[in-house]
């Protein structure tokens, strides 16, 4: 006798909760605005679409995994992860694409355009370019054998970009250790996180123009390594010729970057600075010995990087075309 009545009371109670929850969500734009299931009802195929597209792009050209990872980094360090890096120049502002750290080397824009147009045809106006960058960076690392991590989603896209912040906030390969650490500290990262994030250079390529000084003028470089690099990077020409950041395994996301540093085979001046008798040497040694410590620390630091100054809720917009504001 008592059981059916208790049962319907419970149903009533849950119905009330559901109604109340729905009303609350309607009146509160910030409700659930940054969460791991952000697109699970709004665009259920968003994540699988990005993953498939990234896997296809990496299968076609393995370096693209590195390029997509760098694109997310260069987005987040310049006024936050808001896809500002993807905006083309307009009459109102000069974008970030032609800033020193980006011009002639940042790539992967076409892959993002392809992903965006696939997602727009599934769910128009729902998935931000900034989230696509964050997810594509994660899926790229996974595609090259690195760790995965879970991401909260709901980033929104900026309506502006900053050429000047791209020039000041992205690290230069000529920096010494103190400059590297202070640049990352300005964005909220510890020295340990800075060393972990730098391990991104276990994949990808760099142009002769950014490592020429190191191979001709520095002494803390393995001489066999320096000599081999000179064949494609003369002292006066070949600026755009590329070489792998990790000579050992350039398309595998592993800890070889740190092993190279122990052997004076960092490609960039800034890379070798992490193991040059300073305070970060011991962290490099730890990552040389333990690949799993590196991948765990890298994944955590990437989540933190993907959280930098986000536009959520009703700020910014969901761009229809990642290259221009709506
Ligand atoms: C001290 C910090 C850093 C400096 C000075 C630096 C500098 C550079 C430079 C100069 C290049 C080559 C660009 C060219 O060819 O002109 C490069 C490539 C790259 N960077 Fe960094 N970077 C740093 C940190 C990071 C971080 C934190 C990430 C990602 C989490 C990252 C990801 C990459 C990747 C994946 C590439 C290769 C891209 C490709 O092959 O297309 N870098 N970086
Ligand atoms: C420039 O800004 C004005 C005012 O916000 C806007 O109406 C116009 O569409 C913008 N132009 C471009 C090319 O974005
Ligand atoms: C871009 O817009 C955001 C918010 O609309 C603002 O906080 C930021 O300062 C702007 N950045 C630039 C470079 O104008
Ligand atoms: C090496 O250093 C010398 C002296 O500072 C400089 O003149 C020269 O341009 C440098 N060479 C390269 C390839 O950077
Ligand atoms: C430099 O690297 C080569 C292999 O590339 C190795 O044979 C040599 O022993 C290294 N030199 C030094 C001084 O460690
Ligand atoms: C030399 O540079 C070219 C152009 O970037 C590149 O395709 C090639 O792989 C490089 N060769 C070597 C041996 O590194
Ligand atoms: C680096 O790691 C290797 C194992 O992969 C180990 O043999 C070597 O001793 C380590 N080097 C240092 C300096 O810890
Ligand atoms: C990222 O931001 C979200 C929402 O503000 C927060 O819940 C999460 O703890 C942050 N994660 C990190 C690693 O900062």
């Amino acid at each position: 006798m008592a059981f059916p009545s208790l049962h319907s009371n419970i149903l009533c109670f849950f119905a009330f909760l559901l109604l109340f929850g729905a009303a609350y969500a309607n009146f509160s734009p910030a409700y659930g605005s940054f969460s791991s299931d952000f697109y699970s009802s709004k665009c259920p195929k968003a994540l699988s679409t990005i993953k498939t597209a990234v896997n296809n792009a990496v299968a076609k050209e393995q370096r693209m995994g590195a390029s997509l990872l760098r694109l997310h980094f260069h987005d987040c360090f310049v006024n936050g992860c808001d896809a500002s890096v993807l905006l083309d120049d307009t009459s109102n502002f000069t974008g970030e694409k032609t800033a020193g750290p980006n011009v002639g080397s940042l790539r992967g824009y076409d892959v993002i355009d392809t992903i965006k147009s696939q997602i727009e045809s599934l769910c128009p106006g729902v998935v931000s370019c900034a989230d696509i960058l964050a997810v594509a960076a994660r899926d790229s690392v996974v595609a090259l054998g690195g760790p995965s991590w879970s991401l909260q989603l709901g980033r929104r896209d900026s309506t502006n970009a900053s050429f000047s912040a791209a020039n000041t906030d992205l690290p230069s390969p000529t920096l010494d250790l103190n400059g590297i650490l202070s640049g990352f500290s300005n964005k909220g990262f510890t020295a340990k996180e800075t060393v972990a994030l730098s391990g991104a250079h276990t994949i990808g390529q760099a142009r002769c123009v950014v490592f020429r000084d190191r191979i001709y003028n520095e002494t803390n470089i393995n001489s066999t390594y320096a000599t081999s690099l000179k064949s494609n990077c003369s002292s006066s020409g070949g600026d755009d010729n590329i070489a792998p950041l990790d000579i050992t395994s350039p398309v595998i996301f592993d800890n070889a970057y740190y092993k190279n540093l122990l052997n004076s085979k960092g490609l960039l001046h800034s890379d070798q600075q992490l193991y040059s008798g300073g305070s970060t040497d011991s962290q490099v040694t730890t990552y040389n010995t333990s690949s799993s410590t590196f991948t765990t620390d890298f994944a955590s630091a990437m989540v933190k990087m993907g959280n930098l100054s986000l536009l959520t809720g009703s700020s910014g917009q969901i761009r229809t075309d990642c290259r221009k504001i709506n």
Side-chain angles (χ1 to χ4, degrees):
M1 272 296 280
F3 182 69
S5 130
L6 177 63
H7 186 71
S8 65
N9 279 343
I10 288 172
L11 281 180
C12 261
F13 176 67
F14 279 109
F16 171 77
L17 274 187
L18 276 174
L19 282 172
F20 183 82
Y24 184 74
N26 274 341
F27 287 110
S28 170
Y31 183 81
S33 66
F34 192 53
S35 62
S36 50
D37 61 356
F38 189 76
Y39 296 118
S40 55
S41 59
K42 294 190 225 302
C43 189
K45 290 189 175 153
L47 296 190
S48 60
T49 302
I50 299 172
K51 187 176 234 18
T52 301
V54 167
N55 286 343
N56 289 341
V58 172
K60 196 169 148 202
E61 187 208 8
Q62 287 181 294
R63 183 188 177 194
M64 191 50 72
S67 304
L68 294 172
L69 173 59
R70 186 173 186 233
L71 208 44
H72 178 48
F73 165 50
H74 282 213
D75 180 30
C76 294
F77 262 51
V78 181
N79 293 326
C81 313
D82 60 0
S84 57
V85 70
L86 300 176
L87 289 173
D88 288 336
D89 295 350
T90 71
S91 47
N92 289 336
F93 59 79
T94 302
E96 296 164 21
K97 292 179 176 180
T98 56
N102 295 336
V103 69
S105 69
L106 203 63
R107 57 203 294 282
Y109 304 116
D110 295 351
V111 173
I112 299 297
D113 288 341
T114 301
I115 295 173
K116 179 63 173 173
S117 67
Q118 288 174 357
I119 290 189
E120 281 300 299
S121 54
L122 286 173
C123 331
V126 169
V127 181
S128 68
C129 301
D131 275 344
I132 291 173
L133 287 175
V135 174
R138 190 263 315 272
D139 293 350
S140 290
V141 169
V142 172
L144 296 175
S148 191
W149 52 89
S150 70
L151 278 172
Q152 290 183 278
L153 301 170
R155 293 167 188 77
R156 290 167 65 86
D157 301 325
S158 70
T159 52
N160 59 19
S162 178
F163 175 82
S164 62
N167 278 320
T168 54
D169 291 12
L170 290 165
S172 156
T174 61
L175 287 173
D176 287 342
L177 181 60
N178 285 340
I180 295 167
L181 294 178
S182 72
F184 278 75
S185 165
N186 289 341
K187 300 288 173 187
F189 294 99
T190 64
K192 182 178 167 182
E193 289 166 337
T194 303
V195 175
L197 285 173
S198 299
H201 288 181
T202 183
I203 53 176
Q205 307 269 329
R207 293 169 305 157
C208 161
V209 67
V210 299
F211 61 78
R212 179 184 285 122
D213 279 14
R214 170 150 171 77
I215 63 175
Y216 285 95
N217 273 347
E218 295 191 359
T219 52
N220 61 346
I221 185 169
N222 173 296
S223 59
T224 311
Y225 176 59
T227 301
S228 71
L229 289 165
K230 288 173 186 171
S231 67
N232 218 14
C233 180
S234 78
S235 58
S236 59
D239 281 11
D240 291 335
N241 291 345
I242 54 173
L245 285 155
D246 166 10
I247 183 75
T248 322
S249 50
V251 294
I252 301 173
F253 196 99
D254 57 11
N255 67 340
Y257 170 78
Y258 303 101
K259 294 181 178 299
N260 296 333
L261 299 184
L262 293 184
N263 293 319
S264 304
K265 290 181 181 173
L267 182 62
L268 307 180
H269 171 80
S270 51
D271 290 326
Q272 196 60 52
Q273 281 292 297
L274 301 179
Y275 190 81
S276 56
S279 60
T280 52
D281 281 16
S282 61
Q283 195 62 44
V284 171
T285 307
T286 297
Y287 292 150
N288 161 68
T289 315
S290 174
S291 174
S292 63
T293 307
F294 162 56
T295 52
T296 304
D297 290 355
F298 181 79
S300 309
M302 285 298 295
V303 173
K304 184 167 169 177
M305 189 179 91
N307 254 13
L308 286 173
S309 309
L310 304 186
L311 300 170
T312 56
S314 55
S315 344
Q317 59 178 219
I318 306 297
R319 275 181 228 144
T320 309
D321 173 344
C322 292
R323 294 175 183 263
K324 34 181 192 282
I325 63 174
N326 295 338

